Amino acid sequence: MGRTLENKQQIVGELKELLADAELALVLDFKGLSIKEMSDLRDRLRASDSVCKVTKNTLMRRAIDGDSNWASLDSLLTGTNALVLVKGDVGAGVKAVQTFQKELKKSETKGGLFEGKLLSQDEIKAIADLPSKEQLMAQIAGAINAVATKVAVGINEVPSGMARALKQHAEGGEG
């Protein structure tokens, strides 16, 4: 039994909401993946605040119709597609997909879209290679801590240096 018009409109509406929240979209060819494998991918994506949706290309085209940010996805919508929408940590979302693909060796990324621009395979890989948000925050905190430590040591050195100079002067004056 086919979907009703109302059901299709509901799916398109849901896709539009997901797209409105997403920062990046990846289009995967999911041909040959089992339901269990798709569930595994969805579980991995949940940790990075990402979702995987499988829908007909025609419904996805309706969802992106008139939306300049996502219109370029149309060129990727051929064959059997799963759409991964990343709204949290973009790097973590892409890493989750790539790790899944390396382990299963079944699914391929057809392409991606970020800020209205189609991404090449190299650009998608570069995003996956970026450090996570937590790693970047730790690096920044470490750099700030190092600067603060150097400033504190420098400030502390002023009175210490002055005390040494006065002591040296006093000892030199007695001789």
Side-chain angles (χ1 to χ4, degrees), residues 1-20 42 51-65 81 83 85:
M1 186 174 137
R3 297 185 186 271
T4 64
L5 178 61
E6 186 178 301
N7 186 258
K8 289 178 183 178
Q9 289 171 337
Q10 181 182 356
I11 292 169
V12 169
E14 181 185 330
L15 290 170
K16 284 184 178 196
E17 284 179 32
L18 289 170
L19 287 165
R42 286 184 171 108
V51 294
C52 179
K53 291 302 263 181
V54 176
T55 188
K56 289 184 175 268
N57 292 331
T58 53
L59 296 178
M60 181 52 73
R61 282 191 182 98
R62 285 193 183 144
I64 63 174
D65 187 37
N81 296 319
L83 192 73
L85 298 169

PDB file of all heavy atoms in Angstrom, residues 1-20 42 51-65 81 83 85:
ATOM      1  N   MET A   1       0.844  -1.186   0.000  1.00  0.00           N
ATOM      2  CA  MET A   1       0.000   0.000   0.000  1.00  0.00           C
ATOM      3  C   MET A   1       0.885   1.244   0.000  1.00  0.00           C
ATOM      4  O   MET A   1       1.837   1.347   0.757  1.00  0.00           O
ATOM      5  CB  MET A   1      -0.873  -0.022   1.263  1.00  0.00           C
ATOM      6  CG  MET A   1      -1.880   1.091   1.298  1.00  0.00           C
ATOM      7  SD  MET A   1      -2.964   0.871   2.726  1.00  0.00           S
ATOM      8  CE  MET A   1      -3.037   2.537   3.278  1.00  0.00           C
ATOM      9  N   GLY A   2       0.573   2.189  -0.868  1.00  0.00           N
ATOM     10  CA  GLY A   2       1.356   3.418  -0.984  1.00  0.00           C
ATOM     11  C   GLY A   2       1.044   4.400   0.121  1.00  0.00           C
ATOM     12  O   GLY A   2       0.101   4.226   0.897  1.00  0.00           O
ATOM     13  N   ARG A   3       1.851   5.420   0.196  1.00  0.00           N
ATOM     14  CA  ARG A   3       1.646   6.465   1.190  1.00  0.00           C
ATOM     15  C   ARG A   3       0.557   7.420   0.720  1.00  0.00           C
ATOM     16  O   ARG A   3       0.419   7.689  -0.460  1.00  0.00           O
ATOM     17  CB  ARG A   3       2.934   7.254   1.400  1.00  0.00           C
ATOM     18  CG  ARG A   3       4.068   6.422   1.955  1.00  0.00           C
ATOM     19  CD  ARG A   3       5.251   7.342   2.234  1.00  0.00           C
ATOM     20  NE  ARG A   3       6.419   6.606   2.645  1.00  0.00           N
ATOM     21  CZ  ARG A   3       6.691   6.296   3.910  1.00  0.00           C
ATOM     22  NH1 ARG A   3       5.879   6.651   4.867  1.00  0.00           N
ATOM     23  NH2 ARG A   3       7.778   5.626   4.209  1.00  0.00           N
ATOM     24  N   THR A   4      -0.165   7.946   1.678  1.00  0.00           N
ATOM     25  CA  THR A   4      -1.195   8.923   1.352  1.00  0.00           C
ATOM     26  C   THR A   4      -0.532  10.278   1.161  1.00  0.00           C
ATOM     27  O   THR A   4       0.594  10.517   1.611  1.00  0.00           O
ATOM     28  CB  THR A   4      -2.231   9.032   2.486  1.00  0.00           C
ATOM     29  OG1 THR A   4      -1.574   9.534   3.654  1.00  0.00           O
ATOM     30  CG2 THR A   4      -2.882   7.695   2.771  1.00  0.00           C
ATOM     31  N   LEU A   5      -1.228  11.198   0.515  1.00  0.00           N
ATOM     32  CA  LEU A   5      -0.716  12.547   0.300  1.00  0.00           C
ATOM     33  C   LEU A   5      -0.413  13.214   1.645  1.00  0.00           C
ATOM     34  O   LEU A   5       0.631  13.853   1.815  1.00  0.00           O
ATOM     35  CB  LEU A   5      -1.734  13.383  -0.494  1.00  0.00           C
ATOM     36  CG  LEU A   5      -1.331  14.829  -0.753  1.00  0.00           C
ATOM     37  CD1 LEU A   5      -0.043  14.903  -1.567  1.00  0.00           C
ATOM     38  CD2 LEU A   5      -2.450  15.575  -1.460  1.00  0.00           C
ATOM     39  N   GLU A   6      -1.303  13.007   2.607  1.00  0.00           N
ATOM     40  CA  GLU A   6      -1.121  13.599   3.934  1.00  0.00           C
ATOM     41  C   GLU A   6       0.147  13.048   4.600  1.00  0.00           C
ATOM     42  O   GLU A   6       0.915  13.786   5.210  1.00  0.00           O
ATOM     43  CB  GLU A   6      -2.345  13.298   4.805  1.00  0.00           C
ATOM     44  CG  GLU A   6      -2.328  13.989   6.152  1.00  0.00           C
ATOM     45  CD  GLU A   6      -3.601  13.695   6.946  1.00  0.00           C
ATOM     46  OE1 GLU A   6      -4.694  14.008   6.452  1.00  0.00           O
ATOM     47  OE2 GLU A   6      -3.454  13.146   8.061  1.00  0.00           O
ATOM     48  N   ASN A   7       0.368  11.751   4.445  1.00  0.00           N
ATOM     49  CA  ASN A   7       1.547  11.117   5.016  1.00  0.00           C
ATOM     50  C   ASN A   7       2.822  11.660   4.363  1.00  0.00           C
ATOM     51  O   ASN A   7       3.811  11.930   5.043  1.00  0.00           O
ATOM     52  CB  ASN A   7       1.436   9.593   4.827  1.00  0.00           C
ATOM     53  CG  ASN A   7       2.545   8.845   5.514  1.00  0.00           C
ATOM     54  OD1 ASN A   7       3.479   8.413   4.851  1.00  0.00           O
ATOM     55  ND2 ASN A   7       2.449   8.709   6.828  1.00  0.00           N
ATOM     56  N   LYS A   8       2.795  11.837   3.047  1.00  0.00           N
ATOM     57  CA  LYS A   8       3.949  12.387   2.324  1.00  0.00           C
ATOM     58  C   LYS A   8       4.230  13.815   2.764  1.00  0.00           C
ATOM     59  O   LYS A   8       5.386  14.199   2.947  1.00  0.00           O
ATOM     60  CB  LYS A   8       3.703  12.344   0.810  1.00  0.00           C
ATOM     61  CG  LYS A   8       3.733  10.948   0.233  1.00  0.00           C
ATOM     62  CD  LYS A   8       3.440  10.985  -1.246  1.00  0.00           C
ATOM     63  CE  LYS A   8       3.385   9.586  -1.831  1.00  0.00           C
ATOM     64  NZ  LYS A   8       3.047   9.589  -3.257  1.00  0.00           N
ATOM     65  N   GLN A   9       3.177  14.605   2.951  1.00  0.00           N
ATOM     66  CA  GLN A   9       3.356  15.994   3.397  1.00  0.00           C
ATOM     67  C   GLN A   9       3.958  16.032   4.797  1.00  0.00           C
ATOM     68  O   GLN A   9       4.789  16.886   5.102  1.00  0.00           O
ATOM     69  CB  GLN A   9       2.017  16.738   3.367  1.00  0.00           C
ATOM     70  CG  GLN A   9       1.539  17.025   1.960  1.00  0.00           C
ATOM     71  CD  GLN A   9       0.114  17.564   1.924  1.00  0.00           C
ATOM     72  OE1 GLN A   9      -0.680  17.354   2.838  1.00  0.00           O
ATOM     73  NE2 GLN A   9      -0.208  18.260   0.832  1.00  0.00           N
ATOM     74  N   GLN A  10       3.563  15.088   5.630  1.00  0.00           N
ATOM     75  CA  GLN A  10       4.105  15.004   6.985  1.00  0.00           C
ATOM     76  C   GLN A  10       5.604  14.678   6.927  1.00  0.00           C
ATOM     77  O   GLN A  10       6.403  15.271   7.658  1.00  0.00           O
ATOM     78  CB  GLN A  10       3.347  13.934   7.777  1.00  0.00           C
ATOM     79  CG  GLN A  10       3.814  13.793   9.207  1.00  0.00           C
ATOM     80  CD  GLN A  10       3.060  12.677   9.938  1.00  0.00           C
ATOM     81  OE1 GLN A  10       2.144  12.058   9.405  1.00  0.00           O
ATOM     82  NE2 GLN A  10       3.467  12.429  11.167  1.00  0.00           N
ATOM     83  N   ILE A  11       5.994  13.750   6.068  1.00  0.00           N
ATOM     84  CA  ILE A  11       7.402  13.372   5.918  1.00  0.00           C
ATOM     85  C   ILE A  11       8.215  14.562   5.413  1.00  0.00           C
ATOM     86  O   ILE A  11       9.290  14.863   5.935  1.00  0.00           O
ATOM     87  CB  ILE A  11       7.552  12.159   4.970  1.00  0.00           C
ATOM     88  CG1 ILE A  11       6.964  10.908   5.628  1.00  0.00           C
ATOM     89  CG2 ILE A  11       9.018  11.930   4.591  1.00  0.00           C
ATOM     90  CD1 ILE A  11       6.821   9.722   4.693  1.00  0.00           C
ATOM     91  N   VAL A  12       7.704  15.262   4.416  1.00  0.00           N
ATOM     92  CA  VAL A  12       8.393  16.444   3.870  1.00  0.00           C
ATOM     93  C   VAL A  12       8.551  17.508   4.949  1.00  0.00           C
ATOM     94  O   VAL A  12       9.614  18.114   5.097  1.00  0.00           O
ATOM     95  CB  VAL A  12       7.646  17.003   2.631  1.00  0.00           C
ATOM     96  CG1 VAL A  12       8.199  18.361   2.224  1.00  0.00           C
ATOM     97  CG2 VAL A  12       7.746  16.019   1.468  1.00  0.00           C
ATOM     98  N   GLY A  13       7.511  17.710   5.754  1.00  0.00           N
ATOM     99  CA  GLY A  13       7.576  18.678   6.858  1.00  0.00           C
ATOM    100  C   GLY A  13       8.648  18.302   7.872  1.00  0.00           C
ATOM    101  O   GLY A  13       9.411  19.151   8.349  1.00  0.00           O
ATOM    102  N   GLU A  14       8.715  17.012   8.205  1.00  0.00           N
ATOM    103  CA  GLU A  14       9.721  16.527   9.155  1.00  0.00           C
ATOM    104  C   GLU A  14      11.127  16.726   8.588  1.00  0.00           C
ATOM    105  O   GLU A  14      12.039  17.157   9.303  1.00  0.00           O
ATOM    106  CB  GLU A  14       9.476  15.042   9.446  1.00  0.00           C
ATOM    107  CG  GLU A  14      10.451  14.451  10.438  1.00  0.00           C
ATOM    108  CD  GLU A  14      10.260  12.944  10.619  1.00  0.00           C
ATOM    109  OE1 GLU A  14       9.126  12.451  10.469  1.00  0.00           O
ATOM    110  OE2 GLU A  14      11.269  12.275  10.910  1.00  0.00           O
ATOM    111  N   LEU A  15      11.294  16.429   7.298  1.00  0.00           N
ATOM    112  CA  LEU A  15      12.599  16.620   6.653  1.00  0.00           C
ATOM    113  C   LEU A  15      13.009  18.091   6.677  1.00  0.00           C
ATOM    114  O   LEU A  15      14.172  18.418   6.936  1.00  0.00           O
ATOM    115  CB  LEU A  15      12.573  16.094   5.214  1.00  0.00           C
ATOM    116  CG  LEU A  15      12.501  14.586   5.049  1.00  0.00           C
ATOM    117  CD1 LEU A  15      12.237  14.209   3.595  1.00  0.00           C
ATOM    118  CD2 LEU A  15      13.776  13.929   5.547  1.00  0.00           C
ATOM    119  N   LYS A  16      12.060  18.982   6.421  1.00  0.00           N
ATOM    120  CA  LYS A  16      12.350  20.432   6.450  1.00  0.00           C
ATOM    121  C   LYS A  16      12.809  20.871   7.841  1.00  0.00           C
ATOM    122  O   LYS A  16      13.736  21.674   7.963  1.00  0.00           O
ATOM    123  CB  LYS A  16      11.123  21.245   6.020  1.00  0.00           C
ATOM    124  CG  LYS A  16      10.885  21.219   4.536  1.00  0.00           C
ATOM    125  CD  LYS A  16       9.722  22.100   4.136  1.00  0.00           C
ATOM    126  CE  LYS A  16       9.549  22.072   2.633  1.00  0.00           C
ATOM    127  NZ  LYS A  16       8.714  23.139   2.126  1.00  0.00           N
ATOM    128  N   GLU A  17      12.167  20.341   8.877  1.00  0.00           N
ATOM    129  CA  GLU A  17      12.571  20.674  10.258  1.00  0.00           C
ATOM    130  C   GLU A  17      13.986  20.185  10.537  1.00  0.00           C
ATOM    131  O   GLU A  17      14.796  20.906  11.131  1.00  0.00           O
ATOM    132  CB  GLU A  17      11.607  20.032  11.264  1.00  0.00           C
ATOM    133  CG  GLU A  17      10.281  20.737  11.392  1.00  0.00           C
ATOM    134  CD  GLU A  17       9.354  20.037  12.388  1.00  0.00           C
ATOM    135  OE1 GLU A  17       9.864  19.454  13.372  1.00  0.00           O
ATOM    136  OE2 GLU A  17       8.139  20.075  12.161  1.00  0.00           O
ATOM    137  N   LEU A  18      14.289  18.955  10.123  1.00  0.00           N
ATOM    138  CA  LEU A  18      15.629  18.406  10.337  1.00  0.00           C
ATOM    139  C   LEU A  18      16.679  19.220   9.582  1.00  0.00           C
ATOM    140  O   LEU A  18      17.761  19.493  10.101  1.00  0.00           O
ATOM    141  CB  LEU A  18      15.686  16.937   9.901  1.00  0.00           C
ATOM    142  CG  LEU A  18      14.938  15.943  10.782  1.00  0.00           C
ATOM    143  CD1 LEU A  18      14.872  14.574  10.120  1.00  0.00           C
ATOM    144  CD2 LEU A  18      15.598  15.835  12.150  1.00  0.00           C
ATOM    145  N   LEU A  19      16.355  19.615   8.358  1.00  0.00           N
ATOM    146  CA  LEU A  19      17.280  20.422   7.562  1.00  0.00           C
ATOM    147  C   LEU A  19      17.499  21.801   8.187  1.00  0.00           C
ATOM    148  O   LEU A  19      18.608  22.337   8.145  1.00  0.00           O
ATOM    149  CB  LEU A  19      16.767  20.571   6.129  1.00  0.00           C
ATOM    150  CG  LEU A  19      16.874  19.323   5.245  1.00  0.00           C
ATOM    151  CD1 LEU A  19      16.027  19.472   3.994  1.00  0.00           C
ATOM    152  CD2 LEU A  19      18.324  19.041   4.886  1.00  0.00           C
ATOM    153  N   ALA A  20      16.458  22.370   8.764  1.00  0.00           N
ATOM    154  CA  ALA A  20      16.573  23.700   9.384  1.00  0.00           C
ATOM    155  C   ALA A  20      17.559  23.680  10.551  1.00  0.00           C
ATOM    156  O   ALA A  20      18.238  24.676  10.803  1.00  0.00           O
ATOM    157  CB  ALA A  20      15.199  24.170   9.844  1.00  0.00           C
ATOM    158  N   ARG A  42      22.824   4.604  13.002  1.00  0.00           N
ATOM    159  CA  ARG A  42      22.008   5.601  13.720  1.00  0.00           C
ATOM    160  C   ARG A  42      22.461   5.751  15.174  1.00  0.00           C
ATOM    161  O   ARG A  42      22.511   6.864  15.694  1.00  0.00           O
ATOM    162  CB  ARG A  42      20.537   5.213  13.649  1.00  0.00           C
ATOM    163  CG  ARG A  42      19.934   5.453  12.277  1.00  0.00           C
ATOM    164  CD  ARG A  42      18.439   5.156  12.268  1.00  0.00           C
ATOM    165  NE  ARG A  42      17.854   5.583  11.018  1.00  0.00           N
ATOM    166  CZ  ARG A  42      17.428   4.746  10.069  1.00  0.00           C
ATOM    167  NH1 ARG A  42      17.497   3.435  10.248  1.00  0.00           N
ATOM    168  NH2 ARG A  42      16.911   5.222   8.950  1.00  0.00           N
ATOM    169  N   VAL A  51      21.474  12.679  12.749  1.00  0.00           N
ATOM    170  CA  VAL A  51      20.435  11.702  12.430  1.00  0.00           C
ATOM    171  C   VAL A  51      20.650  11.156  11.025  1.00  0.00           C
ATOM    172  O   VAL A  51      21.235  11.818  10.173  1.00  0.00           O
ATOM    173  CB  VAL A  51      18.997  12.299  12.524  1.00  0.00           C
ATOM    174  CG1 VAL A  51      18.662  12.680  13.937  1.00  0.00           C
ATOM    175  CG2 VAL A  51      18.834  13.475  11.592  1.00  0.00           C
ATOM    176  N   CYS A  52      20.160   9.943  10.819  1.00  0.00           N
ATOM    177  CA  CYS A  52      20.212   9.302   9.509  1.00  0.00           C
ATOM    178  C   CYS A  52      18.780   9.036   9.071  1.00  0.00           C
ATOM    179  O   CYS A  52      18.035   8.365   9.773  1.00  0.00           O
ATOM    180  CB  CYS A  52      21.006   8.003   9.594  1.00  0.00           C
ATOM    181  SG  CYS A  52      21.091   7.124   8.021  1.00  0.00           S
ATOM    182  N   LYS A  53      18.413   9.590   7.937  1.00  0.00           N
ATOM    183  CA  LYS A  53      17.063   9.416   7.405  1.00  0.00           C
ATOM    184  C   LYS A  53      17.128   8.744   6.045  1.00  0.00           C
ATOM    185  O   LYS A  53      17.945   9.114   5.206  1.00  0.00           O
ATOM    186  CB  LYS A  53      16.354  10.769   7.230  1.00  0.00           C
ATOM    187  CG  LYS A  53      16.011  11.482   8.508  1.00  0.00           C
ATOM    188  CD  LYS A  53      15.138  10.674   9.398  1.00  0.00           C
ATOM    189  CE  LYS A  53      13.687  11.000   9.265  1.00  0.00           C
ATOM    190  NZ  LYS A  53      12.856  10.205  10.171  1.00  0.00           N
ATOM    191  N   VAL A  54      16.261   7.770   5.859  1.00  0.00           N
ATOM    192  CA  VAL A  54      16.112   7.131   4.558  1.00  0.00           C
ATOM    193  C   VAL A  54      14.730   7.506   4.056  1.00  0.00           C
ATOM    194  O   VAL A  54      13.733   7.271   4.728  1.00  0.00           O
ATOM    195  CB  VAL A  54      16.245   5.592   4.670  1.00  0.00           C
ATOM    196  CG1 VAL A  54      15.982   4.937   3.322  1.00  0.00           C
ATOM    197  CG2 VAL A  54      17.618   5.220   5.187  1.00  0.00           C
ATOM    198  N   THR A  55      14.703   8.132   2.902  1.00  0.00           N
ATOM    199  CA  THR A  55      13.426   8.552   2.323  1.00  0.00           C
ATOM    200  C   THR A  55      13.547   8.563   0.804  1.00  0.00           C
ATOM    201  O   THR A  55      14.649   8.525   0.262  1.00  0.00           O
ATOM    202  CB  THR A  55      13.015   9.947   2.858  1.00  0.00           C
ATOM    203  OG1 THR A  55      11.694  10.230   2.432  1.00  0.00           O
ATOM    204  CG2 THR A  55      13.955  11.025   2.379  1.00  0.00           C
ATOM    205  N   LYS A  56      12.437   8.612   0.154  1.00  0.00           N
ATOM    206  CA  LYS A  56      12.442   8.655  -1.305  1.00  0.00           C
ATOM    207  C   LYS A  56      13.073   9.968  -1.772  1.00  0.00           C
ATOM    208  O   LYS A  56      12.899  11.009  -1.144  1.00  0.00           O
ATOM    209  CB  LYS A  56      11.019   8.552  -1.850  1.00  0.00           C
ATOM    210  CG  LYS A  56      10.409   7.186  -1.686  1.00  0.00           C
ATOM    211  CD  LYS A  56       9.045   7.156  -2.346  1.00  0.00           C
ATOM    212  CE  LYS A  56       8.466   5.776  -2.296  1.00  0.00           C
ATOM    213  NZ  LYS A  56       8.772   4.986  -3.465  1.00  0.00           N
ATOM    214  N   ASN A  57      13.788   9.892  -2.866  1.00  0.00           N
ATOM    215  CA  ASN A  57      14.437  11.075  -3.420  1.00  0.00           C
ATOM    216  C   ASN A  57      13.430  12.178  -3.763  1.00  0.00           C
ATOM    217  O   ASN A  57      13.724  13.354  -3.581  1.00  0.00           O
ATOM    218  CB  ASN A  57      15.258  10.705  -4.653  1.00  0.00           C
ATOM    219  CG  ASN A  57      16.457   9.852  -4.301  1.00  0.00           C
ATOM    220  OD1 ASN A  57      16.993   9.944  -3.209  1.00  0.00           O
ATOM    221  ND2 ASN A  57      16.888   9.012  -5.231  1.00  0.00           N
ATOM    222  N   THR A  58      12.250  11.767  -4.240  1.00  0.00           N
ATOM    223  CA  THR A  58      11.244  12.773  -4.603  1.00  0.00           C
ATOM    224  C   THR A  58      10.774  13.561  -3.372  1.00  0.00           C
ATOM    225  O   THR A  58      10.567  14.773  -3.454  1.00  0.00           O
ATOM    226  CB  THR A  58      10.017  12.125  -5.283  1.00  0.00           C
ATOM    227  OG1 THR A  58       9.530  11.066  -4.447  1.00  0.00           O
ATOM    228  CG2 THR A  58      10.364  11.591  -6.649  1.00  0.00           C
ATOM    229  N   LEU A  59      10.646  12.883  -2.226  1.00  0.00           N
ATOM    230  CA  LEU A  59      10.235  13.577  -1.004  1.00  0.00           C
ATOM    231  C   LEU A  59      11.345  14.497  -0.511  1.00  0.00           C
ATOM    232  O   LEU A  59      11.084  15.616  -0.042  1.00  0.00           O
ATOM    233  CB  LEU A  59       9.832  12.579   0.082  1.00  0.00           C
ATOM    234  CG  LEU A  59       8.600  11.715  -0.230  1.00  0.00           C
ATOM    235  CD1 LEU A  59       8.338  10.732   0.901  1.00  0.00           C
ATOM    236  CD2 LEU A  59       7.375  12.581  -0.474  1.00  0.00           C
ATOM    237  N   MET A  60      12.588  14.057  -0.644  1.00  0.00           N
ATOM    238  CA  MET A  60      13.717  14.903  -0.244  1.00  0.00           C
ATOM    239  C   MET A  60      13.798  16.119  -1.157  1.00  0.00           C
ATOM    240  O   MET A  60      14.052  17.236  -0.701  1.00  0.00           O
ATOM    241  CB  MET A  60      15.022  14.107  -0.273  1.00  0.00           C
ATOM    242  CG  MET A  60      16.232  14.920   0.162  1.00  0.00           C
ATOM    243  SD  MET A  60      16.049  15.778   1.746  1.00  0.00           S
ATOM    244  CE  MET A  60      16.150  14.410   2.861  1.00  0.00           C
ATOM    245  N   ARG A  61      13.554  15.922  -2.442  1.00  0.00           N
ATOM    246  CA  ARG A  61      13.576  17.061  -3.379  1.00  0.00           C
ATOM    247  C   ARG A  61      12.511  18.092  -3.000  1.00  0.00           C
ATOM    248  O   ARG A  61      12.737  19.292  -3.092  1.00  0.00           O
ATOM    249  CB  ARG A  61      13.368  16.576  -4.810  1.00  0.00           C
ATOM    250  CG  ARG A  61      14.608  15.971  -5.405  1.00  0.00           C
ATOM    251  CD  ARG A  61      14.467  15.729  -6.914  1.00  0.00           C
ATOM    252  NE  ARG A  61      15.672  15.094  -7.405  1.00  0.00           N
ATOM    253  CZ  ARG A  61      15.807  13.786  -7.600  1.00  0.00           C
ATOM    254  NH1 ARG A  61      14.792  12.975  -7.382  1.00  0.00           N
ATOM    255  NH2 ARG A  61      16.941  13.297  -8.037  1.00  0.00           N
ATOM    256  N   ARG A  62      11.353  17.606  -2.584  1.00  0.00           N
ATOM    257  CA  ARG A  62      10.299  18.542  -2.152  1.00  0.00           C
ATOM    258  C   ARG A  62      10.722  19.298  -0.892  1.00  0.00           C
ATOM    259  O   ARG A  62      10.405  20.468  -0.737  1.00  0.00           O
ATOM    260  CB  ARG A  62       8.993  17.793  -1.893  1.00  0.00           C
ATOM    261  CG  ARG A  62       8.309  17.397  -3.169  1.00  0.00           C
ATOM    262  CD  ARG A  62       6.894  16.946  -2.934  1.00  0.00           C
ATOM    263  NE  ARG A  62       6.317  16.514  -4.189  1.00  0.00           N
ATOM    264  CZ  ARG A  62       5.472  15.513  -4.309  1.00  0.00           C
ATOM    265  NH1 ARG A  62       5.073  14.857  -3.244  1.00  0.00           N
ATOM    266  NH2 ARG A  62       4.993  15.192  -5.481  1.00  0.00           N
ATOM    267  N   ALA A  63      11.431  18.612  -0.001  1.00  0.00           N
ATOM    268  CA  ALA A  63      11.877  19.244   1.248  1.00  0.00           C
ATOM    269  C   ALA A  63      12.917  20.330   0.990  1.00  0.00           C
ATOM    270  O   ALA A  63      12.943  21.343   1.693  1.00  0.00           O
ATOM    271  CB  ALA A  63      12.423  18.193   2.206  1.00  0.00           C
ATOM    272  N   ILE A  64      13.788  20.148  -0.016  1.00  0.00           N
ATOM    273  CA  ILE A  64      14.833  21.136  -0.278  1.00  0.00           C
ATOM    274  C   ILE A  64      14.421  22.163  -1.321  1.00  0.00           C
ATOM    275  O   ILE A  64      15.119  23.149  -1.523  1.00  0.00           O
ATOM    276  CB  ILE A  64      16.159  20.458  -0.713  1.00  0.00           C
ATOM    277  CG1 ILE A  64      15.995  19.707  -2.030  1.00  0.00           C
ATOM    278  CG2 ILE A  64      16.687  19.578   0.393  1.00  0.00           C
ATOM    279  CD1 ILE A  64      17.295  19.140  -2.602  1.00  0.00           C
ATOM    280  N   ASP A  65      13.277  21.945  -1.961  1.00  0.00           N
ATOM    281  CA  ASP A  65      12.802  22.855  -3.001  1.00  0.00           C
ATOM    282  C   ASP A  65      12.633  24.269  -2.433  1.00  0.00           C
ATOM    283  O   ASP A  65      11.939  24.480  -1.442  1.00  0.00           O
ATOM    284  CB  ASP A  65      11.469  22.349  -3.579  1.00  0.00           C
ATOM    285  CG  ASP A  65      11.037  23.175  -4.773  1.00  0.00           C
ATOM    286  OD1 ASP A  65      11.910  23.579  -5.560  1.00  0.00           O
ATOM    287  OD2 ASP A  65       9.815  23.425  -4.898  1.00  0.00           O
ATOM    288  N   ASN A  81      19.487   6.224  -1.256  1.00  0.00           N
ATOM    289  CA  ASN A  81      20.197   7.182  -0.412  1.00  0.00           C
ATOM    290  C   ASN A  81      19.748   7.138   1.035  1.00  0.00           C
ATOM    291  O   ASN A  81      18.581   6.961   1.331  1.00  0.00           O
ATOM    292  CB  ASN A  81      19.960   8.614  -0.918  1.00  0.00           C
ATOM    293  CG  ASN A  81      20.516   8.834  -2.288  1.00  0.00           C
ATOM    294  OD1 ASN A  81      21.601   8.381  -2.599  1.00  0.00           O
ATOM    295  ND2 ASN A  81      19.765   9.518  -3.137  1.00  0.00           N
ATOM    296  N   LEU A  83      20.320   9.901   4.150  1.00  0.00           N
ATOM    297  CA  LEU A  83      20.777  11.268   4.383  1.00  0.00           C
ATOM    298  C   LEU A  83      21.194  11.399   5.838  1.00  0.00           C
ATOM    299  O   LEU A  83      20.400  11.129   6.741  1.00  0.00           O
ATOM    300  CB  LEU A  83      19.647  12.248   4.063  1.00  0.00           C
ATOM    301  CG  LEU A  83      20.065  13.704   3.981  1.00  0.00           C
ATOM    302  CD1 LEU A  83      20.865  13.950   2.710  1.00  0.00           C
ATOM    303  CD2 LEU A  83      18.854  14.610   3.990  1.00  0.00           C
ATOM    304  N   LEU A  85      22.201  13.957   8.632  1.00  0.00           N
ATOM    305  CA  LEU A  85      22.130  15.380   8.956  1.00  0.00           C
ATOM    306  C   LEU A  85      22.829  15.612  10.287  1.00  0.00           C
ATOM    307  O   LEU A  85      22.447  15.039  11.302  1.00  0.00           O
ATOM    308  CB  LEU A  85      20.668  15.830   9.021  1.00  0.00           C
ATOM    309  CG  LEU A  85      19.903  15.673   7.701  1.00  0.00           C
ATOM    310  CD1 LEU A  85      18.423  15.883   7.907  1.00  0.00           C
ATOM    311  CD2 LEU A  85      20.432  16.633   6.663  1.00  0.00           C
TER     312      LEU A  85
END
